[in-house]
Amino acid sequence: MRNQSWILVLSILLLSCKQNFSVITSLYAFPKKLKEVSGITYIPESKLLWVIEDSGNANKIYGLNPKGKLEKSITIQNAENIDWEEITKDKEGNLYIGDFGNNENKREDLCIYKIAKDSLLNNTTNSSYKVSFEYPEQKKFPPKKKNLLYDVESFFEFENNFYLFTKNRSSKFDGTTLLYKVPNKAGFHQAKLLGEFKTGGSFENNAITSATISPDASKVLLLCHSKVWLFQNFTADNFLAGEVSELRLNHFSQKEAICFKDNSTLLIADEKNKNTGGFVYETTLQRLEAKP
C-alpha cells in the first residue's frame, strides 16, 4: 500500500513538471547564421516571420517560412545597423526597424526605418523614410547611473504612431519602464512620455526586452527572460494604465523578441548563448493564463 502511495505521489509530481514545462513549445531553431536575433514580427498573408539582428551584424532583414527555413534576405542599403533592437509592422504590412538600442544611454541618433511592403520582394532595397527622435526628459548623455532609463528594445506601431517601452539599466534597478509615443512620420520628433510601469525584481528576470500588440488592439504584452506582462482593458493609448497580469513562462533564456501570430497565439524568440537558445517558440494566452 505504501509503495502504491509513493507511485501516486511521483505520478502527480511528474505530471505537474510536464505541465510546467509545456507552457511554451519550441517550433524550430534559427538558421546557424542568425545568432543574435533581437526582433521578430509575423506577416500572416505571406506566413513569413521577419527577423533582425542587433549591433555588430549586417543591415539585413530575414524572412523565415513556418519551418524556419530562410526564404528572404534583404539588405537595407541606406540604413546602418548601429543597434537594431526591434522590428514591427503596420496594418498594411509595411515593416519598421527600431535602431534605438542605447545600452549606455549616450546615443543622440535614435531612429526608426520604414521598409515598404512592396520592397520585400527584392534582395536589396532602401528604407522609404527615417523617423528620428529624442526623449525630452533626458538632459545628459549619458545621465547619472541611477537614471539610465533611455535604452529601448521594445516597440510597436499602432494607428500611425510608434509606442516605445524603455529598458531600465539604472544602478538601483526597480524595473521602471517608460512608455513613449513617436509619430510615424518622416523627420525629427520629440517623443511624448505617456506613462510608466514598475516590474520590480532583478534586472536578469525583469528587464523589458520586447513588446507587441494584438491584431485587434485589445492586448499589449511586454517580454523579459522568464515571463510576460499582459495589459488589457486600457483606455486611449496609455497601455500601461490597463489591467496587468504577470504570466510566467516556466522557461529561462535570453528572450529578446515576441509577436502575436493571431489574437491568441504568440511567437517568442531567444538569442543563442553558448549551448542554449536560438529558437522560436509558440504559446497561447490561454495556456499562459491557465497554467497553475
Side-chain angles (χ1 to χ4, degrees), residues 118-151:
D118 294 343
S119 70
L120 299 179
L121 299 174
N122 305 323
N123 293 323
T124 60
T125 191
N126 287 322
S127 65
S128 300
Y129 57 74
K130 179 179 178 180
V131 180
S132 299
F133 64 93
E134 68 178 6
Y135 310 109
E137 290 72 24
Q138 183 175 5
K139 307 300 182 183
K140 294 183 179 180
F141 300 84
K144 293 182 179 180
K145 291 183 179 179
K146 65 179 181 180
N147 293 318
L148 297 179
L149 301 172
Y150 302 102
D151 183 24

Side-chain angles (χ1 to χ4, degrees), residues 64-82:
L64 306 181
N65 69 21
K67 294 184 178 180
K69 302 299 182 183
L70 191 61
E71 295 260 335
K72 293 292 298 182
S73 177
I74 305 174
T75 300
I76 314 301
Q77 297 178 114
N78 62 340
E80 181 183 357
N81 186 347
I82 297 176

Side-chain angles (χ1 to χ4, degrees), residues 156-158 165 211-222 228-236 238-240 242-245 247 258-260 262-266 284-286 288-289:
F156 54 75
E157 203 273 355
F158 176 64
F165 302 82
T212 186
I213 188 169
S214 60
D216 64 6
S218 68
K219 299 175 178 65
V220 164
L221 288 172
L222 301 183
V228 296
W229 285 270
L230 168 64
F231 296 85
Q232 52 191 336
N233 298 322
F234 36 75
T235 58
N238 184 2
F239 307 109
L240 297 180
E243 296 176 8
V244 59
S245 304
L247 306 176
I258 189 170
C259 68
F260 276 93
D262 53 44
N263 284 316
S264 173
T265 309
L266 304 170
T284 65
L285 288 175
Q286 288 83 355
L288 292 176
E289 292 177 307

Side-chain angles (χ1 to χ4, degrees), residues 186-198:
F188 183 82
H189 306 280
Q190 298 285 316
K192 181 181 179 181
L193 180 61
L194 296 183
E196 69 175 65
F197 172 71
K198 288 186 179 180

Side-chain angles (χ1 to χ4, degrees), residues 138-237:
Q138 183 175 5
K139 307 300 182 183
K140 294 183 179 180
F141 300 84
K144 293 182 179 180
K145 291 183 179 179
K146 65 179 181 180
N147 293 318
L148 297 179
L149 301 172
Y150 302 102
D151 183 24
V152 170
E153 298 185 3
S154 316
F155 86 135
F156 54 75
E157 203 273 355
F158 176 64
E159 293 188 347
N160 296 315
N161 289 288
F162 299 110
Y163 294 88
L164 291 74
F165 302 82
T166 64
K167 183 176 186 177
N168 191 316
R169 293 187 178 275
S170 299
S171 54
K172 294 183 178 180
F173 180 86
D174 65 359
T176 296
T177 181
L178 305 177
L179 169 57
Y180 278 97
K181 179 179 180 178
V182 176
N184 183 356
K185 184 178 180 181
F188 183 82
H189 306 280
Q190 298 285 316
K192 181 181 179 181
L193 180 61
L194 296 183
E196 69 175 65
F197 172 71
K198 288 186 179 180
T199 66
S202 65
F203 177 85
E204 184 179 38
N205 285 289
N206 295 275
I208 303 301
T209 60
S210 188
T212 186
I213 188 169
S214 60
D216 64 6
S218 68
K219 299 175 178 65
V220 164
L221 288 172
L222 301 183
L223 174 73
C224 73
H225 291 171
S226 61
K227 68 189 84 169
V228 296
W229 285 270
L230 168 64
F231 296 85
Q232 52 191 336
N233 298 322
F234 36 75
T235 58
D237 56 359

Side-chain angles (χ1 to χ4, degrees), residues 30 34-40 51-53 256-257 269-271:
F30 282 114
L34 299 179
K35 296 181 179 180
E36 294 184 297
V37 169
S38 58
I40 60 174
V51 175
I52 58 168
E53 294 186 286
E256 296 286 343
D270 54 11
E271 186 174 312

